[in-house]
Amino acid sequence: MKKPQPNTIDTQSTLVKINNVYKAYEGGLIPALNDVSLILNKGEIYALTGPSGCGKSTLLNIIGTIDFPTSGSVNYVDKSVAHIEPIHKFRNKIIGFIFQFHHLLPLLTLQENVETSLMANKNITDTARQKKASRLLDELGLKNKKGAYANRVSGGERQRAAIARAMANDPLLILADEPTGSVDSKTADIILKKLISYTKNVNGTLLIATHDENIASLADTIIRMKDGKITDIENIK
Amino acid sequence: MKANITINVSMFKVLFHYALRNIFRVRLRSFFTIFVISLVFSLFILLTSIGEELSRQLTNTLDEEKIDIVIQSKFSTTPLSSSIPYEKVNEIIALDDVQYATTLLIGKKRLNKKASLFLLGFSDFIPIAKRLGIGLIKGREFNENHREVAIGQKVARILNLDVGDSIRMDDNAPYLITGIYSIGLDFLDACAYIGMSDAQWLLNRPNQTSMIFLSSKDPLHTQETINMINNSYPELVAFSSGELLEYLDSTKTVINFIQLISMITFIIASSVLLNTLIMTINERTKEIGILLAIGWSRSMIVLMFSIESLLLSFSGGIIGYLLTYPAIMILSQYPNMGLNFIPESPSFAMFGLLMAICLLIGLISAFFPALYGSRMTPAKALHHEETTTQYNRHTKHTG
């Protein structure tokens, strides 16, 4: 099978560039990614599809800098992730991560959960932080749930709060791992609309890992994976 | 750790709030952590205070300015086991340099199944009472051979006795309480004072004494007198009263033993605390992963866990110290336990030291596991296996 080439557009619009990334767990016994190369451009929406265990989440983790490749490189614009210091600040400002199971902190309210992301930003005042978190929750239809604890709201409400948290620092890149996997179709619709409109507004990049072909069809580009490899990159818009 | 450690006040407030919330989230665990800390803290302060009080009382009582020379039998480790025949006493009293001498017989007398007290039999009570600072606070002195006794105020309080009451100490007529004394030292306030012959009878030690107290005619020759007695009476040991504590080997042993037990208690407690906090943080590795994934720095995470741990340690320390008061009250109600060295209140100096150690352990317990957790990649921390149901219960609840 012919190896798909990275979807190069131009260097001005490139946000993330991944070159020949390998990732294996348990000291190399469990391969997860095998020679993956990819370019993600600003202002684009990408869908990452493939069967369970094909490496979608691992790729998302590596792009999101919450995991690191065994070999190969990940570059943001022209800078390698390995040389970005401090990485937590970069992660906080540039990347918004939406996990499949929301990963909210259960002992905090939805408002506080969104604020946790802003807390790492030392330049924002208490008032500004609270206002911003509040506004984001309002936009996601959680006006009346701001004070509710994360473990006291429905799965859909938690996922919407997780999206608000991911967007709190106005990141350029949003990585969403099955964001609608555990919610009903109505909530899924709200979530997708919000993610797409946000990406367009900030001229950012959205990468959604999904099994759902309908969701994938909303993307500008579909990246298909199998057995740790990218098998196809289809530009559909 | 290269993480930026600039934490502003506002962030500290948030972290403090978050740490406090965590403590209340796992109420049962927090309660038991505080309980263990407070229990051990209390026990340690109590034991240390008893040791300090024992040492203080003996040192004060036997201040060298009050008595010049003390004599007891050579191989006895405490006055209780010392036994000097009275013929030796008479020989020593007759020495040229001796200006004044008095004898003291000490023994423990069981009153009934529940209570016992120390009997102090004096050959000449009033002079030695003055020298030891024993003051009559109620009633009058006892008369020897009239079945009369004076008691310390602690005995009076605990056994609910007063002047005019009587104590039965043998099969004959009871002893009339003629007076209540106070010395201000628990050890001596928990004794009964009686004539030497009565004490010898009650303790079944006829013609014996435990100790001889001498004062020299010339204080400059005290050491010569001591040397002379030690040379002439190899079965006895004479020393200046200031050195008495050094001869009280068993007393020192008791103090050392108390300190040892205190230290062991503290080490065990520290281990329990360390283990509890490490487990607590270990179970929250996933939470660390979430915080790392949303951009928290390692320093923020370590600080948050440290605050939480310090709050637990501080609460445990304060409660432990406060628990010492009722513990002292309860223990002082049981004279039969021989705990005559229970202080009036716990040592505050010890509290400060212990609190500092407690906070340090709390800090170490949180710092290293939190640092370890925060050094994982966020992805690994997020997939860390949860070993308790606490977190699951909260996260899986769908409301």
Side-chain angles (χ1 to χ4, degrees):
Chain A
M1 192 168 68
K2 188 186 164 195
K3 184 180 169 183
Q5 293 304 303
N7 51 334
T8 309
I9 296 175
D10 69 74
T11 51
Q12 289 296 311
S13 64
T14 298
L15 180 65
V16 185
K17 188 176 179 186
I18 299 168
N19 289 321
N20 309 112
V21 163
Y22 286 84
K23 177 69 183 178
Y25 297 105
E26 306 294 334
L29 292 174
I30 305 169
L33 293 179
N34 186 3
D35 194 20
V36 172
S37 296
L38 181 68
I39 286 174
L40 302 179
N41 293 313
K42 290 175 193 168
E44 297 274 321
I45 295 167
Y46 297 88
L48 187 60
T49 65
S52 294
C54 69
K56 297 191 297 291
S57 295
T58 303
L59 182 59
L60 244 61
N61 288 346
I62 287 172
I63 295 170
T65 73
I66 65 169
D67 204 353
F68 299 95
T70 308
S71 69
S73 67
V74 179
N75 293 290
Y76 273 83
V77 191
D78 283 330
K79 195 164 187 182
S80 166
V81 166
H83 298 123
I84 294 172
E85 285 286 349
I87 191 72
H88 69 86
K89 204 173 259 185
F90 174 80
R91 202 182 285 142
N92 181 249
K93 287 188 173 173
I94 306 297
I95 300 163
F97 221 115
I98 300 162
F99 303 96
Q100 185 174 3
F101 296 107
H102 62 79
H103 286 331
L104 293 181
L105 297 165
L107 66 154
L108 298 185
T109 62
L110 298 186
Q111 167 86 19
E112 288 166 335
N113 262 288
V114 179
E115 284 188 43
T116 52
S117 183
L118 291 159
M119 272 178 213
N121 183 350
K122 295 181 181 70
N123 299 321
I124 190 165
T125 63
D126 285 2
T127 316
R129 187 179 68 225
Q130 287 158 9
K131 275 186 179 173
K132 186 160 192 187
S134 179
R135 180 177 58 77
L136 284 165
L137 289 168
D138 287 351
E139 285 172 12
L140 282 151
L142 294 168
K143 191 169 187 173
N144 299 322
K145 297 284 183 178
K146 287 178 208 168
Y149 286 96
N151 59 340
R152 303 285 177 200
V153 296
S154 70
E157 286 164 338
R158 274 182 272 177
Q159 194 63 306
R160 277 183 278 159
I163 290 164
R165 182 180 65 183
M167 296 192 304
N169 286 304
D170 305 320
L172 270 179
L173 175 63
I174 291 203
L175 302 168
D177 191 0
E178 302 278 6
T180 58
S182 56
V183 298
D184 58 73
S185 58
K186 190 181 165 193
T187 309
D189 194 44
I190 296 170
I191 287 171
L192 291 169
K193 276 182 180 163
K194 181 67 188 171
L195 288 174
I196 291 166
S197 69
Y198 171 83
T199 307
K200 298 293 179 194
N201 286 344
V202 299
N203 191 32
T205 305
L206 172 64
L207 177 59
I208 304 176
T210 181
H211 284 103
D212 191 330
E213 284 297 326
N214 291 329
I215 293 171
S217 66
L218 297 172
D220 302 317
T221 305
I222 299 176
I223 303 158
R224 292 193 174 83
M225 288 187 75
K226 192 177 177 187
D227 299 331
K229 291 183 177 180
I230 292 177
T231 53
D232 181 40
I233 297 174
E234 181 188 0
N235 198 331
I236 58 173
K237 295 278 167 80
Chain B
M1 197 162 91
K2 284 187 177 179
N4 188 345
I5 56 164
T6 315
I7 307 284
N8 57 35
V9 177
S10 160
M11 191 174 292
F12 185 83
K13 269 166 60 185
V14 172
L15 294 177
F16 185 86
H17 177 68
Y18 187 35
L20 204 61
R21 196 70 79 71
N22 263 320
I23 290 172
F24 282 100
R25 177 184 67 158
V26 280
R27 286 184 201 90
L28 197 62
R29 179 187 286 278
S30 301
F31 170 78
F32 277 111
T33 307
I34 292 173
F35 177 73
V36 169
I37 297 169
S38 58
L39 198 68
V40 174
F41 202 92
S42 173
L43 192 61
F44 187 77
I45 290 190
L46 195 62
L47 287 170
T48 315
S49 300
I50 290 171
E52 278 183 356
E53 184 67 12
L54 173 62
S55 179
R56 189 184 69 82
Q57 286 189 25
L58 288 170
T59 307
N60 288 353
T61 308
L62 301 162
D63 192 312
E64 61 183 332
E65 288 179 11
K66 292 179 182 168
I67 300 160
D68 298 325
I69 301 169
V70 181
I71 303 169
Q72 67 176 49
S73 52
K74 193 162 194 172
F75 299 107
S76 58
T77 52
T78 69
L80 279 170
S81 58
S82 173
S83 181
I84 306 171
Y86 240 83
E87 51 266 32
K88 303 282 181 197
V89 176
N90 293 330
E91 286 176 26
I92 291 167
I93 288 172
L95 293 171
D96 285 346
D97 194 42
V98 175
Q99 184 189 45
Y100 168 80
T102 187
T103 54
L104 173 65
L105 178 63
I106 306 175
K108 193 173 184 182
K109 183 69 185 174
R110 182 168 286 280
L111 300 177
N112 52 46
K113 282 182 180 175
K114 291 183 177 174
S116 61
L117 49 71
F118 282 105
L119 278 184
L120 299 187
F122 293 91
S123 61
D124 196 2
F125 177 66
I126 294 172
I128 203 167
K130 282 183 182 170
R131 293 178 80 86
L132 289 172
I134 302 173
L136 188 65
I137 56 168
K138 197 172 184 183
R140 60 171 175 82
E141 287 92 17
F142 60 86
N143 288 314
E144 193 167 358
N145 298 321
H146 283 75
R147 301 191 77 78
E148 290 183 350
V149 63
I151 57 173
Q153 63 172 357
K154 190 169 182 181
V155 175
R157 190 180 74 237
I158 293 168
L159 298 180
N160 198 24
L161 295 170
D162 205 346
V163 173
D165 292 341
S166 54
I167 308 177
R168 185 174 290 279
M169 293 194 278
D170 61 4
D171 294 335
N172 300 323
Y175 280 73
L176 175 70
I177 298 168
T178 62
I180 296 173
Y181 284 90
S182 170
I183 305 170
L185 299 169
D186 276 5
F187 172 57
L188 290 176
D189 282 344
C191 294
Y193 307 96
I194 202 163
M196 177 58 78
S197 55
D198 284 329
Q200 286 172 337
W201 161 255
L202 289 169
L203 298 171
N204 196 23
R205 292 171 68 180
N207 214 24
Q208 286 178 27
T209 188
S210 303
M211 304 177 87
I212 309 169
F213 298 105
L214 303 176
S215 62
S216 303
K217 283 177 184 168
D218 182 358
L220 295 174
H221 291 106
T222 299
Q223 193 54 49
E224 288 173 22
T225 308
I226 288 171
N227 293 341
M228 192 270 285
I229 293 169
N230 283 333
N231 291 333
S232 307
Y233 299 95
E235 71 277 23
L236 302 179
V237 59
F239 42 86
S240 72
S241 54
E243 298 172 78
L244 183 57
L245 270 181
E246 291 176 28
Y247 287 86
L248 296 176
D249 283 344
S250 71
T251 306
K252 282 197 295 180
T253 306
V254 169
I255 293 171
N256 290 340
F257 185 68
I258 289 172
Q259 286 171 346
L260 181 70
I261 297 284
S262 304
M263 284 316 298
I264 292 170
T265 310
F266 197 71
I267 290 166
I268 293 170
S270 305
S271 310
V272 170
L273 176 60
L274 207 65
N275 184 55
T276 306
L277 292 170
I278 287 172
M279 288 300 291
T280 304
I281 294 170
N282 189 45
E283 286 164 10
R284 289 165 58 192
T285 306
K286 183 172 178 178
E287 192 176 329
I288 292 175
I290 296 170
L291 294 170
L292 286 170
I294 62 172
W296 277 39
S297 65
R298 286 209 292 265
S299 56
M300 280 175 74
I301 290 167
V302 170
L303 183 65
M304 186 194 75
F305 280 100
S306 299
I307 291 170
E308 194 175 320
S309 182
L310 287 174
L311 282 172
L312 286 173
S313 308
F314 185 75
S315 313
I318 295 284
I319 293 169
Y321 183 69
L322 295 176
L323 277 178
T324 318
Y325 283 92
I328 284 174
M329 264 177 58
I330 292 165
L331 284 175
S332 61
Q333 299 300 312
Y334 293 92
N336 196 34
M337 291 172 74
L339 294 167
N340 292 318
F341 304 103
I342 300 292
E344 292 286 321
S345 62
S347 160
F348 192 75
M350 189 51 66
F351 165 72
L353 177 70
L354 273 181
M355 185 53 96
I357 295 173
C358 193
L359 292 177
L360 185 69
I361 291 172
L363 198 62
I364 291 169
S365 315
F367 185 82
F368 290 105
L371 189 63
Y372 170 75
S374 66
R375 289 180 82 92
M376 283 184 192
T377 62
K380 189 176 176 188
L382 278 168
H383 294 106
H384 193 268
E385 193 176 358
E386 292 160 6
T387 49
T388 64
T389 55
Q390 281 285 359
Y391 196 90
N392 290 335
R393 201 187 308 148
H394 284 279
T395 51
K396 287 180 181 170
H397 183 80
T398 54

